[in-house]
Amino acid sequence: MMTRIAVLISGGGSNLQSLIDTVHNSYGRIELVISNRRDAYGLVRAKNHEIKNICIPGTDPNYDRLLLNKLEEAGIDLIVLAGYLKIVSPQLIEKYRNRIINIHPSLIPAFSGDGHYGLKVHKEVIEYGAKVSGATVHFVDEGTDTGPVVMQKCVEVESDDTPESLQNKVLKIEHELLPLAVKEYCLGNIQVEGRKVNIKKRGGNE
Ligand code: GRF
């Protein structure tokens, strides 16, 4: 049986698109795309691929309960946060422990935590003078960007990089890393022991 995936978004959904293109209906099935913002373009991407897509307005006082209901109704196994800018409730984290994956546009723990999202991350990297940055896929725990790291990949920060150019470079890496992590999850190759995530090595070519 295919892993039943829900993708939570707030914006453009280019990471969602990478999952649609490489994981959907092969390694897992994206059953549901949920946005906390009605104007999120990711909802259109889902619709274009006939994937159920709904908006629960972030301002709804029953937001957390409605979200949990939708995920339960759809029998979701794995939740992917792909550019999702809302705090996940402790109940949801508890219920889906080590089954919620997030993608963050830096090498955690650098340039991560509260307030680190969007262009701000890349601006800080450049201002700091770091020579590398990258993307991190991690499981979500109660902290901000503090859960066990699943995969990371670096990009070089060039002296002429701007926050925008660095963002583009990192986004490209994100589009490789997130589908890869989700694929390994769907294949049952990911094991979590405390903070350590082990990814089973495969023989042959898959
Ligand atoms: C990505 O940089 C992601 O890491 C971050 O928000 C951005 C979302 O991009 N959390 P998109 O909506 O997937 O295009």
Side-chain angles (χ1 to χ4, degrees):
M1 250 236 309
M2 274 201 200
T3 305
R4 298 171 73 87
I5 303 169
V7 183
L8 272 50
I9 58 162
S10 301
S14 67
N15 278 294
L16 163 66
Q17 188 67 51
S18 73
L19 293 173
I20 293 174
D21 294 343
T22 57
V23 174
H24 185 49
N25 284 340
S26 48
Y27 296 98
R29 228 187 110 73
I30 304 176
E31 297 288 341
L32 198 57
V33 171
I34 302 178
S35 171
N36 62 320
R37 296 185 48 162
R38 203 169 293 283
D39 60 354
Y41 183 66
L43 289 172
V44 178
R45 296 183 192 267
K47 192 163 164 245
N48 289 343
H49 291 269
E50 283 154 21
I51 298 168
K52 187 171 174 192
N53 57 93
I54 50 175
C55 167
I56 307 173
T59 48
D60 193 312
N62 297 315
Y63 185 88
D64 289 332
R65 190 172 47 78
L66 293 171
L67 178 61
L68 199 57
N69 285 350
K70 291 289 176 200
L71 296 167
E72 280 176 354
E73 264 168 38
I76 294 304
D77 303 307
L78 174 70
I79 301 169
V80 181
L81 311 184
Y84 181 65
L85 296 176
K86 200 167 157 51
I87 301 290
V88 181
S89 75
Q91 292 89 325
L92 194 72
I93 293 168
E94 184 57 45
K95 174 134 207 272
Y96 291 87
R97 176 80 54 197
N98 294 337
R99 294 195 292 147
I100 310 177
I101 278 178
N102 182 43
I103 176 105
H104 181 79
S106 77
L107 296 173
I108 289 176
F111 309 104
S112 65
D114 286 338
H116 287 88
Y117 61 88
L119 263 186
K120 274 200 250 177
V121 176
H122 308 293
K123 198 166 171 271
E124 273 189 41
V125 170
I126 288 172
E127 276 167 9
Y128 193 88
K131 301 294 186 203
V132 292
S133 189
T136 304
V137 174
H138 65 94
F139 284 113
V140 173
D141 69 4
E142 282 77 1
T144 308
D145 302 329
T146 54
V149 170
V150 182
M151 287 182 184
Q152 293 186 304
K153 199 169 175 183
C154 296
V155 300
E156 302 226 348
V157 183
E158 241 77 48
S159 55
D160 59 352
D161 263 319
T162 61
E164 288 78 9
S165 69
L166 185 56
Q167 183 178 49
N168 285 336
K169 269 196 228 173
V170 172
L171 204 52
K172 241 173 139 183
I173 297 294
E174 292 181 44
H175 296 160
E176 293 169 26
L177 209 60
L178 185 62
L180 195 61
V182 172
K183 174 179 153 185
E184 295 291 2
Y185 185 96
C186 293
L187 290 169
N189 288 335
I190 293 187
Q191 258 179 359
V192 190
E193 282 167 43
R195 285 208 55 82
K196 303 279 168 62
V197 177
N198 295 312
I199 301 176
K200 265 195 255 162
K201 294 229 168 48
R202 289 184 305 263
N205 35 352
E206 225 185 325

